[in-house]
Amino acid sequence: MVLQKRLDYSFYGYHVPTKRRATRSAKRRATFQRRLEDNQMCAFDLLATIADNLLQEKQNPTISSDRSSEKDRDGFSKVECQDANKPFKTELSDEASCDRKCQHEFVREGCPDANKPFKAELSDEGSSDRKCFSNISSQLYNQNCCLKELLQHEIDGHSCIASIVTSSSCSEKIVAERLVDGKGHNGVENLASKVELGSSGCLESSGCKLDGDVSKVKDGKVGKVPIDTGTGMCCFEDPLDEKPPALISSCGNAKMSGYDDSKPQSSLSKGCDNVLVDSRDDDENFSGYAHPSTKINSFKQITCIDDRKIKKTLDSKYHKVSQESKHDILSNSVLDGNLKSVYSSRKNYYKSQRSQMCIPFKKRKLFNCSSSDTNSNGYIRSDDTCYSPKNDTNQSVSCSSSDHGTSSLGHSALRSRDSHVKLRIKSFRVPELFIEIPETATVGSLKRTVMEAVTAVLGGGLRVGVILHGKKVRDDSKTLLQTGISHDNHLDALGFALEPNCSQNRSSACATTDSLCVPGADMHQPLIGYPSSRAAIHQRIQGFSNMLAEHQATGLGNLVESDHDSAPSPINTSGEKNLTDSKELITVPEMGMEALAVLPVHQKSKRTEIAPRRIRRPFSVAEVEALVQAVEKLGTGRWRDVKLHAFDNAKHRTYVDLKDKWKTLVHTARISPQQRRGEPVPQELLDRVLTAHAYWSQQQTKQQLKHHSTKPCLLL
DNA sequence: GTTAGGG
DNA sequence: CCCTAAC
């Protein structure tokens, strides 16, 4: 059965391994960092920049005072989660002198475990920090391309809002959270972000509840005025599908502080813009959202799904896969920014070597979310004070469509009483993702699959685009006032978009910054068609939704847990339900790999010359079955025929691939089940593999010996 | 262009 | 999956 879903998801974060990866990775990283430093700016930076700009105009005394206290602690602005509801909030604030330094600290609240607030702090200090950002941005960039590709294909143009936040629950982990806005806009280009003007406190995340379960979502607003939730919901809705909005995640509030480099200010932060990201996750809803893909829009090949063909809709070059290697992937992407980097971990992956990489981001200490915390208080206060009482109503306007449509974000702008322009970015849109997973896959693997997809997207590299009145604002040097983004003006026309950061490499896929990266055509093709009893579930995730509801609090949640290698996530306090999944995952560490989502990505990295390594596309059980069947019939050594016979429609499967797969199948069948990794292949199939292999080997031998072959063809 | 096999 | 030798 094919389920096509659109999910809004929030990405809780990346878990960044603390340890260093293999040398290879390290090398790549170094290289990559170099590349990125020039022009890569991570989303955070961008957001911070935006905030800074906004803040430049004026300074909010109240906030500054608050901030100062906060800052004093560790010199970082802090973000605090205040909403038990888990709204995710980001606050951008303008900070003093440091140029271009962005220190972000994210705190995640609402975690089951109050003691373990989820907090991450990003700092961009010094060159090293900067590199980290660069890396991030590059990732974002890459993914963004993918997103664009997707979007292009999708008419519905759903965008997901992603707030990318890096936070680490534990000192070493980086968590990125991405919110996706399921709200679709027509046309890719019409991905508009919403801007709301309001005086309401920043803290609210209530609006974020996208999933239908409103009851669950509470109004997280800390501020005086509740932010309208309706808007948030709208954002996630898919206009075309009418489907229930994808999951929304609200994991907590994170605030992101940006420092204004342009302004020589007192050390204290002056302004506070709040960017709120609401995220919520709800596993329960997740399944509910699954629905047959009605929305075909641009994907023509969706029809194939019915055939139960295993299709990986997205043919991305960069595809991040195994949960196991999740870290690796992340790191790789960060480091390299190109496909190969993704696979650099391959060896490790296969070998089950799980090494942890250095975290590109700096980790900051964790703080308690407790309200008592001065930091949090400061923010809270600032929120209250910052918003001008005038704006009681939130105006949400969808504005511009970004060229890049890849992502749109809804955001609300709030005017502060002073000249500060407050923006509340409710979410960023991310293009839909297609995921195919066998029906036999576990929920855990599904989760991981989605996680992988999300991870891949996040790793692509994004930048923020500012759209005003439908036009992109390209001149970064202009002040907000000059641009027209001031508190005196209507901010309803202001929009933000996540754009691929094409500066890195613009290959054909990403033509210009404005153009979307288009996934390879093959991406649409059905993987393979064969009469397999096994159905695959296609999921189309247009937005990211929190698949892991319980993980909100925990950030990566079980994904992380599942990762043996990964450092244990302290944060994880997730509920038992997920634990089950986690166990499963643990038991079969790589199981998720099979079902992996294919992300379109792409971007040819800088190396145009060198063809990027193909994405890893684990064979599904259905494919294996088809392969076995074909080999039984045709025998080994006739891979071209096998390909034509059983995988003719799967253009991404070459006969070499089939041959290799057979090789691995034979190997797999010979080893103990405990040693097997990845999605388990039914023993029955493995038995057939051995039988067929033995048979054909025998035949081959006979022929050689006899020189004369009598081929009794049929098999079993 | 296919196979086979090592990496 | 990649690469390459061999056919």
Side-chain angles (χ1 to χ4, degrees):
Chain A
M1 96 193 307
V2 174
L3 295 178
Q4 189 166 36
K5 279 182 176 179
R6 175 183 179 184
L7 300 176
D8 282 348
Y9 88 114
S10 66
F11 183 77
Y12 293 107
Y14 291 101
H15 171 94
V16 176
T18 58
K19 294 181 181 179
R20 283 178 177 280
R21 283 180 60 70
T23 350
R24 186 176 177 180
S25 296
K27 291 178 181 177
R28 289 181 179 175
R29 173 174 32 190
T31 300
F32 188 61
Q33 286 179 344
R34 283 198 303 272
R35 295 176 188 166
L36 297 179
E37 283 184 0
D38 316 319
N39 49 16
Q40 298 298 323
M41 177 181 271
C42 70
F44 289 104
D45 282 337
L46 292 175
L47 292 175
T49 299
I50 292 168
D52 289 344
N53 290 336
L54 293 176
L55 293 176
Q56 282 181 348
E57 298 304 326
K58 290 182 180 181
Q59 176 179 0
N60 184 333
T62 300
I63 292 168
S64 65
S65 64
D66 290 346
R67 279 190 147 228
S68 64
S69 63
E70 291 177 354
K71 185 177 182 180
D72 289 347
R73 273 185 102 120
D74 49 6
F76 292 97
S77 62
K78 294 176 182 178
V79 174
E80 182 176 0
C81 300
Q82 294 173 346
D83 185 355
N85 294 335
K86 303 177 180 179
F88 183 88
K89 184 180 197 172
T90 300
E91 179 173 348
L92 296 178
S93 65
D94 181 356
E95 190 86 19
S97 56
C98 4
D99 60 357
R100 207 92 190 104
K101 291 181 180 180
C102 299
Q103 295 174 339
H104 303 284
E105 182 173 9
F106 298 90
V107 175
R108 185 176 210 160
E109 209 175 303
C111 299
D113 182 355
N115 294 332
K116 299 178 180 179
F118 182 84
K119 185 181 212 172
E121 182 176 18
L122 294 178
S123 67
D124 183 353
E125 296 173 348
S127 63
S128 64
D129 290 347
R130 185 113 199 104
K131 288 180 180 179
C132 293
F133 277 79
S134 296
N135 289 341
I136 294 167
S137 64
S138 67
Q139 288 181 343
L140 293 178
Y141 168 76
N142 291 341
Q143 293 177 350
N144 194 6
C145 291
C146 295
L147 293 178
K148 282 188 174 182
E149 289 179 355
L150 291 176
L151 289 178
Q152 283 183 341
H153 292 287
E154 280 194 357
I155 293 166
D156 56 345
H158 295 288
S159 62
C160 299
I161 295 168
S163 63
I164 297 165
V165 175
T166 61
S167 63
S168 62
S169 60
C170 52
S171 62
E172 298 300 328
K173 295 178 180 178
I174 292 170
V175 175
E177 180 168 3
R178 176 179 275 192
L179 296 180
V180 172
D181 181 358
K183 188 177 204 170
H185 293 281
N186 293 336
V188 171
E189 296 184 347
N190 289 331
L191 297 178
S193 59
K194 286 186 177 181
V195 175
E196 290 181 355
L197 295 178
S199 62
S200 65
C202 309
L203 298 180
E204 295 172 353
S205 61
S206 63
C208 296
K209 273 194 163 199
L210 299 182
D211 58 355
D213 185 349
V214 172
S215 63
K216 288 182 179 179
V217 175
K218 294 178 181 179
D219 182 354
K221 69 180 173 184
V222 172
K224 298 173 181 178
V225 178
I227 292 168
D228 79 345
T229 60
T231 301
M233 292 182 72
C234 292
C235 292
F236 292 88
E237 288 179 359
D238 179 350
L240 296 179
D241 290 351
E242 300 273 334
K243 293 175 180 179
L247 302 181
I248 294 167
S249 59
S250 66
C251 290
N253 293 336
K255 292 179 181 179
M256 179 173 68
S257 302
Y259 295 80
D260 182 357
D261 49 345
S262 64
K263 258 175 145 178
Q265 295 175 345
S266 60
S267 61
L268 298 181
S269 66
K270 292 180 178 181
C272 64
D273 280 353
N274 293 331
V275 174
L276 296 179
V277 174
D278 289 346
S279 66
R280 76 183 158 164
D281 58 40
D282 183 341
D283 282 353
E284 313 299 353
N285 290 340
F286 175 74
S287 61
Y289 289 107
H291 46 60
S293 66
T294 55
K295 163 186 280 196
I296 298 162
N297 297 341
S298 50
F299 288 84
K300 307 116 188 189
Q301 308 227 349
I302 289 169
T303 57
C304 296
I305 294 167
D306 293 344
D307 296 342
R308 294 190 171 197
K309 294 177 178 182
I310 295 167
K311 169 196 270 182
K312 292 183 178 182
T313 56
L314 298 180
D315 182 9
S316 62
K317 298 175 180 179
Y318 296 135
H319 144 196
K320 280 89 193 220
V321 213
S322 66
Q323 62 186 26
E324 256 182 28
S325 58
K326 182 187 306 175
H327 297 298
D328 292 347
I329 291 168
L330 175 60
S331 340
N332 286 338
S333 63
V334 170
L335 296 177
D336 292 352
N338 60 35
L339 281 185
K340 221 158 187 191
S341 63
V342 170
Y343 288 98
S344 65
S345 61
R346 174 184 59 182
K347 281 186 177 180
N348 291 338
Y349 175 79
Y350 285 108
K351 292 179 181 179
S352 296
Q353 295 174 346
R354 298 172 173 84
S355 61
Q356 292 177 339
M357 276 187 74
C358 301
I359 298 167
F361 300 87
K362 275 191 176 182
K363 303 161 191 175
R364 302 295 177 184
K365 33 181 134 171
L366 297 178
F367 296 88
N368 261 340
C369 293
S370 64
S371 61
S372 63
D373 184 325
T374 56
N375 293 334
S376 48
N377 288 343
Y379 269 105
I380 293 168
R381 283 195 302 270
S382 65
D383 289 346
D384 291 347
T385 59
C386 289
Y387 296 98
S388 113
K390 293 177 181 179
N391 299 331
D392 291 344
T393 61
N394 291 331
Q395 292 173 342
S396 77
V397 176
S398 56
C399 33
S400 57
S401 56
S402 65
D403 295 348
H404 301 299
T406 57
S407 63
S408 66
L409 23 92
H411 59 282
S412 63
L414 299 177
R415 281 204 251 175
S416 58
R417 55 184 64 170
D418 54 2
S419 299
H420 289 273
V421 176
K422 287 195 174 259
L423 298 176
R424 176 184 172 189
I425 296 172
K426 301 189 102 170
S427 62
F428 284 85
R429 286 190 173 193
V430 176
E432 70 179 358
L433 297 177
F434 283 82
I435 292 175
E436 177 164 334
I437 187 170
E439 285 181 332
T440 55
T442 62
V443 173
S445 73
L446 173 61
K447 290 177 179 179
R448 285 184 302 163
T449 299
V450 173
M451 188 66 195
E452 289 167 3
V454 171
T455 300
V457 171
L458 290 176
L462 297 172
R463 68 179 180 186
V464 172
V466 175
I467 297 100
L468 187 61
H469 296 295
K471 294 180 181 179
K472 290 183 66 174
V473 178
R474 296 174 185 279
D475 188 349
D476 295 340
S477 62
K478 285 185 180 178
T479 64
L480 296 179
L481 268 176
Q482 291 175 323
T483 307
I485 303 172
S486 65
H487 68 284
D488 292 336
N489 293 323
H490 295 287
L491 294 178
D492 54 354
L494 177 62
F496 292 99
L498 291 180
E499 304 170 347
N501 201 342
C502 293
S503 60
Q504 218 175 9
N505 173 8
R506 148 181 324 185
S507 62
S508 60
C510 298
T512 62
T513 57
D514 290 348
S515 65
L516 297 178
C517 295
V518 177
D522 53 343
M523 147 181 186
H524 296 291
Q525 293 181 351
L527 294 180
I528 47 176
Y530 46 81
S532 168
S533 61
R534 291 177 178 69
I537 296 170
H538 277 267
Q539 291 180 332
R540 180 185 191 183
I541 299 173
Q542 293 186 331
F544 292 116
S545 59
N546 322 349
M547 301 204 49
L548 309 177
E550 294 155 11
H551 299 304
Q552 293 178 340
T554 62
L556 292 182
N558 37 5
L559 290 178
V560 171
E561 285 180 3
S562 63
D563 210 8
H564 294 168
D565 295 352
S566 61
S569 120
I571 301 169
N572 187 349
T573 56
S574 60
E576 302 65 9
K577 241 186 198 177
N578 287 330
L579 291 178
T580 301
D581 290 343
S582 297
K583 287 180 180 179
E584 238 178 285
L585 293 177
I586 290 170
T587 303
V588 183
E590 294 189 2
M591 185 167 110
M593 295 181 68
E594 269 97 352
L596 63 93
V598 178
L599 294 183
V601 161
H602 116 321
Q603 153 188 20
K604 310 175 170 183
S605 20
K606 307 187 163 187
R607 46 188 181 146
T608 351
E609 305 265 325
I610 302 168
R613 184 186 179 95
R614 291 192 299 159
I615 60 172
R616 184 174 181 277
R617 299 167 120 171
F619 277 71
S620 65
V621 172
E623 285 178 298
V624 170
E625 183 177 327
L627 176 60
V628 171
Q629 188 174 322
V631 173
E632 286 173 340
K633 182 176 182 179
L634 302 172
T636 55
R638 296 178 60 193
W639 301 110
R640 181 172 175 277
D641 291 336
V642 170
K643 155 70 176 170
L644 269 41
H645 184 269
F647 291 78
D648 196 25
N649 293 329
K651 81 179 181 182
H652 63 290
R653 300 294 189 198
T654 66
Y655 46 75
V656 173
D657 292 331
L658 300 179
K659 182 261 300 177
D660 288 341
K661 179 57 181 176
W662 183 260
K663 180 173 64 178
T664 58
L665 277 174
V666 171
H667 177 262
T668 300
R670 289 172 174 169
I671 62 177
S672 66
Q674 293 75 26
Q675 295 177 301
R676 296 171 192 164
R677 299 193 306 164
E679 184 181 5
V681 176
Q683 186 59 42
E684 176 253 342
L685 280 177
L686 293 175
D687 292 339
R688 288 168 66 190
V689 168
L690 289 178
T691 302
H693 187 263
Y695 175 80
W696 287 106
S697 294
Q698 183 181 6
Q699 292 302 317
Q700 197 169 28
T701 303
K702 284 182 181 179
Q703 289 182 358
Q704 290 177 348
L705 292 178
K706 289 186 177 180
H707 200 301
H708 149 44
S709 66
T710 43
K711 135 184 163 174
C713 291
L714 287 186
L715 13 131
L716 341 164

